[in-house]
Amino acid sequence: MTHGILSDILDYANRANPYPLYEELRKTPVFHDGSGPYVVSTYYEIQSLLHDPRLSSDSRNLAATAKDPLAGEAEEEAALPPSFLKLDPPEHDRLRRMTNRPFGPPHSPHRVDGMRGDLRAIVTGLIDDLGDPGQIDLVDQFAYPFPVTMICRLLGVPREDEPRFHVWADTLAASLDPDPDADPAERQRKTHDSRMELGMYLAGLIEERRKNPGDDMLSQLAAGHGQDESMSTMELLSTAALLLIAGHETTVNLITNGMLTLLRNPDVLERLRREPTIAAPLVEELLRFEPPVQLLPQRTPLVDIEVRGVTIPKGSSMWLILASGNRDPQRFENPDRFDPDRRDVQHLGLGSGIHSCFGAPLARLEAQLALTELARRLHNPRLLEDPPPYRQNAVLRGPRHLRIACDEVRA
Ligand code: HEM
């Protein structure tokens, strides 16, 4: 159960602008209403907790009384074991290390950079196909299909199967949202079914990749990639599901939040058009200003810990509000100003510590390319509605549609 300010944050009516609520919340850096989670909203406390080995990401360490807000853990496990996002060392480190072999340095230093050509081609194709410049839905026509096509290609998942796992991915993303109105039993059933179906789908695909390996990550993970340690089939399934979902539900919001922010700051949009080299710092500022992952609702202390004078008992549910830390005036000057020239921009948008975003190099590159090309090719773009309609989800926050118009789509 959540009350007062927490239910206001979860209330869909505040989805378009939760920032004044976070400002209110920061007056009590560790907020606890007596029955709900311990909510931490200030930058330095969040940053330090993300590096604290006494904090667990494994929901099996939650006390029974703290499980209610995110019911369904036991059922989830029956379908697929927890992915490394929800594991602690040493299992987390072992699985993350193995997953990194076919993805990043030192073993695969060219993977992400080698995707540049493909990324560009997909962006170009989607912009070419935008159709009527007077009626563009940037989410459905661009920001969703782009990262989804790319994560499918990276993993070796056939793009034409997308409509099937779109539904499972949406359900699993929704399960992260501590929506107070959702019926827990119904949600638990849907989450369980989606994990089961996604697991079965991926099992078939991995079988296929073992017989006919390609250059994709699933083939390489399934083959063990010539390493002395290897993943069990269940670990492989959970990891593949994690990558597929993480690659599905986050970058879409970074691109959409990015275009929305640029259209609200036309001088910055114009600057990006003239000066594409600002794309990299601009995306960092965006990850601070409008982070697609607003809060981490799943941490629990392994022992009693004290934060800013508040004792948080072992097994309690904790929420870390990344988006609030990113607007903390104790850390960032003028935090409510979108400023791509900001020098000191060590945001929490991709997390921090051992669980910091695994896909960060890909997410950054995708957003940089997408926004640069949109700025270059859309002539005189403008918002058709502001604020746009948002998705229900308070954790993975972003517009469901972004309706825009422009005079012309340039070549
Ligand atoms: C803009 C897009 C993205 C954002 C904002 C984002 C954000 C985050 C955040 C905040 C975390 C930390 C979670 C925690 O501490 O509990 C995380 C972890 C993770 N992300 Fe991302 N992510 C993005 C894109 C991606 C992509 C494209 C992939 C896959 C290729 C990905 C894969 C992962 C994985 C596997 C983890 C778990 C890391 C671990 O537990 O060690 N992410 N992400």
Side-chain angles (χ1 to χ4, degrees):
M1 279 300 284
T2 50
H3 309 281
I5 189 145
L6 285 196
S7 46
D8 286 349
I9 289 171
L10 300 180
D11 186 348
Y12 182 73
N14 295 314
R15 197 68 77 248
N17 185 12
Y19 298 102
L21 292 169
Y22 297 154
E23 186 180 348
E24 187 59 31
L25 196 57
R26 281 193 302 272
K27 291 180 185 161
T28 316
V30 182
F31 176 87
H32 182 56
D33 67 6
S35 61
Y38 287 79
V39 181
V40 185
S41 55
T42 43
Y43 181 92
Y44 290 108
E45 282 65 32
I46 296 173
Q47 170 78 358
S48 129
L49 286 165
L50 285 173
H51 289 262
D52 191 330
R54 295 173 303 168
L55 234 63
S56 169
S57 289
D58 189 335
S59 52
R60 291 168 297 191
N61 290 317
L62 277 171
T65 46
K67 282 194 201 262
D68 295 352
L70 290 168
E73 302 301 338
E75 281 298 313
E76 261 182 56
E77 276 168 41
L80 272 183
S83 68
F84 66 85
L85 172 73
K86 291 184 173 191
L87 290 174
D88 298 332
E91 288 78 15
H92 164 272
D93 302 8
R94 179 176 64 85
L95 292 169
R96 181 164 171 145
R97 193 168 54 238
M98 280 190 279
T99 310
N100 192 54
R101 280 193 173 232
F103 183 67
H107 300 281
S108 307
H110 301 300
R111 170 75 75 179
V112 173
D113 212 46
M115 290 164 78
R116 258 176 208 277
D118 276 4
L119 290 166
R120 258 186 219 294
I122 298 166
V123 166
T124 302
L126 288 169
I127 299 181
D128 287 347
D129 289 347
L130 282 177
D132 179 1
Q135 281 290 345
I136 298 169
D137 179 352
L138 204 77
V139 176
D140 286 348
Q141 294 180 259
F142 184 83
Y144 187 78
F146 172 42
V148 166
T149 305
M150 223 39 242
I151 194 73
C152 287
R153 206 167 285 184
L154 175 70
L155 291 177
V157 171
R159 183 67 173 85
E160 57 275 18
D161 288 350
E162 199 275 332
R164 291 173 66 196
F165 56 74
H166 184 156
V167 180
W168 305 324
D170 270 0
T171 310
L172 295 176
S175 76
L176 271 180
D177 181 29
D179 173 7
D181 298 330
D183 169 4
E186 173 65 6
R187 198 158 75 156
Q188 182 170 331
R189 191 188 55 73
K190 278 194 182 165
T191 306
H192 173 264
D193 290 355
S194 291
R195 278 183 78 84
M196 193 72 119
E197 287 176 53
L198 179 58
M200 273 159 35
Y201 169 78
L202 288 170
L205 200 63
I206 287 165
E207 191 59 35
E208 162 62 27
R209 288 291 170 276
R210 281 203 169 114
K211 283 191 214 131
N212 297 309
D215 185 31
D216 54 84
M217 271 184 77
L218 271 192
S219 294
Q220 293 179 10
L221 286 173
H225 208 63
Q227 47 194 302
D228 31 16
E229 46 184 10
S230 64
M231 283 189 197
S232 70
T233 299
M234 289 309 268
E235 288 171 341
L236 182 55
L237 287 178
S238 291
T239 304
L242 169 65
L243 293 173
L244 196 60
I245 309 276
H248 240 81
E249 302 287 337
T250 48
T251 317
V252 49
N253 290 333
L254 183 59
I255 295 171
T256 315
N257 291 343
M259 207 50 199
L260 176 63
T261 304
L262 288 172
L263 289 167
R264 286 171 174 169
N265 294 270
D267 49 324
V268 184
L269 178 63
E270 176 53 23
R271 211 176 130 201
L272 176 62
R273 200 182 62 72
R274 280 187 286 107
E275 225 182 298
T277 50
I278 66 159
L282 186 145
V283 165
E284 295 315 303
E285 172 67 346
L286 204 56
L287 282 160
R288 183 193 71 81
F289 190 74
E290 284 280 26
V293 179
Q294 294 265 301
L295 59 127
L296 300 177
Q298 220 161 22
R299 287 293 198 279
T300 185
L302 294 167
V303 292
D304 292 0
I305 59 170
E306 196 181 305
V307 182
R308 288 281 284 257
V310 177
T311 300
I312 306 180
K314 170 185 172 179
S316 314
S317 164
M318 288 178 76
W319 292 5
L320 309 180
I321 316 281
L322 304 177
S324 169
N326 281 352
R327 299 274 189 125
D328 186 345
Q330 300 286 329
R331 176 62 183 83
F332 296 107
E333 215 169 286
N334 254 331
D336 293 325
R337 178 156 176 258
F338 177 67
D339 176 9
D341 291 324
R342 194 181 284 280
R343 293 226 165 264
D344 179 16
V345 64
Q346 215 192 337
H347 58 76
L348 301 168
L350 296 166
S352 194
I354 63 164
H355 289 280
S356 73
C357 181
F358 175 87
L362 176 60
R364 287 183 158 119
L365 186 58
E366 286 179 337
Q368 291 163 11
L369 280 174
L371 295 175
T372 308
E373 280 303 284
L374 289 169
R376 187 177 73 79
R377 295 193 56 192
L378 304 189
H379 179 50
N380 191 23
R382 52 212 177 261
L383 288 168
L384 293 178
E385 59 186 334
D386 189 7
Y390 275 75
R391 296 174 196 275
Q392 163 60 39
N393 207 314
V395 176
L396 304 180
R397 170 179 166 269
R400 173 62 195 91
H401 299 285
L402 190 68
R403 297 188 183 93
I404 63 169
C406 65
D407 293 345
E408 182 199 351
V409 178
R410 291 185 168 127

